[in-house]
C-alpha cells in the first residue's frame, strides 16, 4: 500500500481533495494531507515516508528530495514545473510529471477578468475602454494561450499570437494571426497576455525594449510567472510611459514600488489566483492522482518532464 501526500501551501478546494482521495483509496492506497504548512520544516517532516507527492507551486528542491527517502514520483498538479528541481529529482531517481491543460481555462478566464478591470480603470467610476475591436497579443500559444484565443473571439478582439515553438500553421488554424517575433507582437497589440513558462531563456525577458514597443495605452497582463518580468526595466518604462498599465496574478518582488509609483495603472492579486477554481483544482488534482496510480501500478510515464 503506497502513501501519497498532497502538500499544498495554497490548498485545493475541498471537493478536489475528496476526488483525489477517491482515486487514491479506490486504488488501495493511503492519502495524507498537508495544507497551508507555511514553513518548509513541516514539508520536510511530512515527506519522510511517502511514496508519491502531489504539489502545486510548492517548492521541491534537493533538500526536500533528500528528506523523502521513499519518494518515487512528484506530480505538479498544474502546468509550470519551475518549482521542482528536475536535475535533483533525476539524481534521486524520482519521476516528475505535470498535468498539462487541466487548469488552463481557469487561468485564461482570469486573464480576461484582469483585462476588463484594467481597461475599466479599476472600476474607479471614470470612463474606460472596451476590449471589442482591440488587438490582443498572446505571448506563447500553449494550453492557456489557446483558451485565451477562444475567449477573445467572444469579446470581438483581433487576435495575434507569437510562440517560439508552436508552428504558425497551428496558430492560424485557430483563426489567430501568427506573428514572427515577440517584438512584432508587442509593437502590434493594445493588450499583451503573457503565457510563457519561466525557463533559463525566458526569465527577465520581458522588459524595457519589448514592452516599450506597445502602442499608446498598452496593457500588459501577466498570469504566467513573475520571473519572466525584468522588474527594474518595467518600472523605468512605466515611469517614462505614463500611458502603460500592468496587471499581474503573480505579485512582483517590487510590488510596493509598483503600487506606489503606478497607482491606477498597476494591480496584483495578493496570491496567485489563476488556477484557483474548484473546476481547475478538481481537474488538475484528480489527473495528478490518476497519473500517480498509473505510474505506481503500471509504470506509465506519460507527462514525465524529467529524464
Ligand atoms: C500552473 O503553473 O499550473 C499555474 O501557475 C497554477 O499554479 P498554482 O497551482 O500554484 O495555482
Amino acid at each position: 500500500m503506497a502513501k501519497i501526500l498532497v502538500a499544498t501551501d495554497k490548498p485545493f478546494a475541498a471537493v478536489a481533495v475528496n476526488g483525489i482521495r477517491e482515486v487514491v483509496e479506490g486504488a488501495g492506497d493511503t492519502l495524507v494531507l498537508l495544507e497551508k504548512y507555511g514553513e518548509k520544516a513541516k514539508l520536510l517532516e511530512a515527506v519522510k515516508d511517502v511514496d508519491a507527492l502531489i504539489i502545486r507551486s510548492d517548492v521541491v528542491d534537493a533538500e526536500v528530495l533528500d528528506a523523502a527517502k521513499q519518494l518515487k514520483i512528484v506530480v505538479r498538479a498544474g502546468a509550470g514545473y519551475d518549482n521542482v528541481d528536475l536535475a535533483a529529482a533525476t539524481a534521486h531517481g524520482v519521476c516528475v510529471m505535470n498535468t498539462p491543460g487541466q487548469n488552463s481555462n481557469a487561468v485564461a478566464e482570469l486573464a480576461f477578468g484582469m483585462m476588463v478591470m484594467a481597461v475599466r480603470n479599476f472600476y474607479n467610476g471614470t470612463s474606460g475602454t472596451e476590449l471589442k475591436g482591440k488587438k490582443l497579443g498572446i505571448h506563447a500559444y500553449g494550453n492557456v494561450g489557446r483558451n485565451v484565443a477562444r475567449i477573445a473571439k467572444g469579446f470581438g478582439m483581433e487576435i495575434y499570437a507569437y510562440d517560439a515553438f508552436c508552428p504558425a500553421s497551428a496558430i492560424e488554424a485557430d483563426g489567430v494571426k501568427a506573428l514572427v517575433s515577440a517584438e512584432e507582437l508587442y509593437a502590434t497589440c493594445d493588450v499583451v497576455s503573457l503565457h510563457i513558462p519561466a525557463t533559463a531563456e525566458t526569465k527577465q525577458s520581458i522588459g524595457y525594449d519589448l514592452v516599450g514597443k506597445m502602442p499608446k495605452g498598452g496593457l500588459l497582463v501577466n498570469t504566467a510567472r513573475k520571473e519572466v518580468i525584468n522588474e527594474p526595466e518595467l518600472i523605468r518604462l512605466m515611469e517614462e510611459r505614463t500611458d502603460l498599465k500592468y496587471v499581474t496574478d503573480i505579485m512582483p518582488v517590487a510590488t510596493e514600488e509598483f503600487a506606489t509609483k503606478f497607482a491606477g495603472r498597476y494591480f496584483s492579486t495578493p496570491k496567485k489566483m489563476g488556477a484557483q477554481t474548484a473546476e481547475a483544482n478538481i481537474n488538475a488534482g484528480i489527473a495528478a492522482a490518476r497519473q500517480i496510480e498509473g505510474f505506481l501500478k503500471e509504470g506509465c510515464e506519460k507527462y514525465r518532464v524529467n529524464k
Side-chain angles (χ1 to χ4, degrees):
M1 187 191 274
K3 194 167 173 182
I4 295 159
L5 173 69
V6 174
T8 47
D9 194 45
K10 183 175 63 183
F12 288 125
V15 63
V17 176
N18 291 341
I20 295 169
R21 189 180 298 283
E22 267 175 38
V23 173
V24 169
E25 293 179 353
D29 292 326
T30 306
L31 187 80
V32 193
L33 198 55
L34 177 72
E35 295 182 326
K36 293 188 193 171
Y37 52 89
E39 306 144 29
K40 190 178 186 184
K42 290 188 185 158
L43 177 63
L44 294 176
E45 181 61 31
V47 296
K48 270 184 179 165
D49 60 347
V50 303
D51 302 280
L53 182 56
I54 296 175
I55 53 162
R56 297 184 62 179
S57 290
D58 308 81
V59 173
V60 173
D61 58 14
E63 196 185 0
V64 174
L65 291 157
D66 279 343
K69 301 277 183 248
Q70 312 290 327
L71 192 66
K72 294 157 192 75
I73 177 168
V74 178
V75 181
R76 192 285 189 237
Y81 43 86
D82 45 305
N83 48 320
V84 182
D85 185 334
L86 296 187
T90 301
H92 283 78
V94 172
C95 172
V96 182
M97 295 182 185
N98 65 348
T99 65
Q102 299 291 350
N103 59 17
S104 48
N105 179 64
V107 179
E109 287 190 12
L110 186 76
F112 280 90
M114 296 181 87
M115 263 179 236
V116 171
M117 181 176 68
V119 298
R120 294 303 183 99
N121 299 334
F122 303 91
Y123 312 128
N124 70 358
T126 63
S127 283
T129 58
E130 298 179 19
L131 293 176
K132 186 177 178 190
K134 301 296 183 302
K135 295 185 167 89
L136 171 67
I138 303 175
H139 192 167
Y141 204 69
N143 289 311
V144 182
R146 283 181 172 78
N147 276 286
V148 167
R150 174 180 54 78
I151 299 167
K153 287 176 191 165
F155 274 93
M157 301 184 84
E158 265 184 52
I159 316 166
Y160 298 81
Y162 168 70
D163 190 303
F165 304 101
C166 181
S169 56
I171 295 174
E172 302 264 341
D174 285 352
V176 174
K177 286 201 180 73
L179 299 180
V180 296
S181 67
E183 285 71 19
E184 195 186 2
L185 188 81
Y186 285 72
T188 304
C189 296
D190 305 297
V191 181
V192 171
S193 193
L194 276 171
H195 302 293
I196 50 177
T199 64
E201 292 76 35
T202 65
K203 281 180 186 170
Q204 307 285 312
S205 67
I206 310 299
Y208 187 92
D209 289 339
L210 199 53
V211 186
K213 295 197 183 321
M214 291 188 79
K216 193 166 165 35
L219 166 65
L220 179 65
V221 181
N222 184 5
T223 54
R225 289 290 181 272
K226 70 168 180 248
E227 291 82 1
V228 302
I229 302 288
N230 184 320
E231 293 184 15
E233 285 192 12
L234 185 58
I235 288 171
R236 181 158 64 90
L237 178 68
M238 288 178 72
E239 282 170 341
E240 291 175 19
R241 292 268 312 264
T242 55
D243 58 304
L244 294 177
K245 289 179 182 163
Y246 177 49
V247 290
T248 178
D249 185 34
I250 314 92
M251 190 179 276
V253 176
T255 188
E256 285 303 318
E257 195 176 350
F258 274 100
T260 315
K261 288 187 170 160
F262 311 122
R265 298 196 281 139
Y266 163 78
F267 171 80
S268 170
T269 51
K271 203 167 231 191
K272 188 160 59 135
M273 292 295 295
Q276 221 30 346
T277 65
E279 293 89 339
N281 292 172
I282 290 167
N283 292 345
I286 292 179
R290 288 192 178 136
Q291 287 172 219
I292 285 173
E293 291 302 344
F295 176 82
L296 293 177
K297 306 280 186 320
E298 288 148 34
C300 177
E301 297 203 352
K302 193 170 175 191
Y303 303 124
R304 182 173 186 143
V305 294
N306 64 332
K307 303 276 178 241

